[in-house]
Amino acid sequence: MTKIEIISGFLGAGKTTFIKKMLKEAFAGEKVVLIENEFGEIGIDGGFLKEAGVQITEMNSGCICCSLVGDFGAALKEVIETYAPDRILIEPSGVGKLSDVTKAVQGVAAAEPVELNSSVTVVDGQKCRMYMKNFGEFFNNQVENAGTIVISRTQKMSEEKLNACVNMLKEKNPEATIITTPWDELKGEQILAAMQHQDLIMKEELETHAHHHEEACEHGHFHENSHEHSHDHGDDCTCGCHDHGSGHEHHHHADEIFTSWGRETPHKYGEEELREILSKLSDDDDCGIILRAKGIVPCTDGTWLHFDMVPEEFEVRRGDADYTGRLCVIGSHLNEEELTKLFGLM
């Protein structure tokens, strides 16, 4: 019987880093297949994961929650028959609805020898409030349908902020196991035990469960002013953020709200130049509401630069070469002309 783990998370939450840790520490020695579905024209994470020796099936033709049963079922069936893996990890698009992905897996499980072992959502603790407020329809769906929620970047948070984040998540999903300890301090086996709801972490969560049901005004938690890059929009805003709070009246596909811009290019960038581009992308809205940017590009000094960006935060590091430079930007109301200009690709 092949076990299936769904590892979801909003754009830039840290899913790839989490998967790498689990591959190395919890699934070592097993035959593992990763099915990765990136929202965007260019799949970039696959390059990061190939070094782990994992078979990648990228479905970049569209969000798996938009083209579910046919394509996804066929892809899963093919993977099972071709590789007969011990375990399949499914990494849905950052803007995919976890409920749709879960349904699709259950549909395949009815006909194939597979079982859904766990359903995990990785949440960036520092961005939880902002995403819940502005992109609730997608973000909340991932939180509400998870068996386990792994909060990333908790080492950068104060205890007060972490508690507030946990309370927000528990309001949406009081049953989930919530992992708040920084990943580096946990072994992969401990995380897997929590994902499978074994007793290691559950006991403490159940004891504290009762204290987290604080009554609050329906919208109070998510409409406070904060210094976060939260894109407060007026009533005439068309990005869909107002629809998301209501949950019941409107149901969107990811491609109605989010768009992506991608380029393959041999263009070389200096490290400082790239940092300036990412800083501009992060700090102002000239190019649209940017939720995620990532890429692998050649550097002017002959090395290669890998970059990742989420609102207010980006990282540039040296990495392996790729067959050509690749860029991908995901967000709402993207201005493709401005993006092309910013990356010097006119």
Side-chain angles (χ1 to χ4, degrees), residues 63-94:
C63 180
I64 97 181
C65 55
C66 302
S67 58
L68 268 179
V69 185
D71 290 357
F72 185 63
L76 248 189
K77 195 166 182 290
E78 187 185 336
V79 159
I80 294 158
E81 288 169 5
T82 308
Y83 303 104
D86 301 314
R87 200 178 298 264
I88 295 173
L89 307 187
I90 296 174
E91 181 187 359
S93 151

Side-chain angles (χ1 to χ4, degrees), residues 170-273:
K170 279 191 176 290
E171 278 186 12
K172 297 289 177 195
N173 186 343
E175 303 304 320
T177 303
I178 299 182
I179 298 179
T180 56
T181 305
W183 302 348
D184 296 349
E185 296 174 28
L186 291 172
K187 295 189 180 79
E189 292 83 356
Q190 290 174 286
I191 297 173
L192 183 59
M195 283 162 58
Q196 294 173 160
H197 296 284
Q198 291 167 353
D199 206 26
L200 296 184
I201 291 177
M202 274 300 274
K203 204 179 288 179
E204 182 190 343
E205 289 295 334
L206 289 169
E207 284 165 8
T208 56
H209 178 89
H211 302 297
H212 289 307
H213 286 280
E214 299 166 339
E215 290 185 17
C217 124
E218 192 180 352
H219 298 294
H221 278 229
F222 316 125
H223 288 258
E224 295 167 11
N225 292 320
S226 77
H227 66 277
E228 291 173 327
H229 195 58
S230 61
H231 301 294
D232 279 329
H233 302 151
D235 292 333
D236 57 349
C237 167
T238 56
C239 86
C241 60
H242 295 291
D243 296 340
H244 297 158
S246 56
H248 299 296
E249 296 89 336
H250 303 278
H251 294 285
H252 297 95
H253 281 309
D255 54 9
E256 290 178 70
I257 306 296
F258 305 100
T259 49
S260 71
W261 172 87
R263 288 286 182 276
E264 294 196 348
T265 175
H267 187 80
K268 290 184 168 69
Y269 296 86
E271 186 172 344
E272 260 326 294
E273 176 195 9

Side-chain angles (χ1 to χ4, degrees), residues 156-174:
K156 298 180 180 178
M157 299 172 72
S158 66
E159 191 175 338
E160 185 186 3
K161 275 215 153 191
L162 182 56
N163 282 336
C165 172
V166 168
N167 288 341
M168 276 188 264
L169 295 170
K170 279 191 176 290
E171 278 186 12
K172 297 289 177 195
N173 186 343

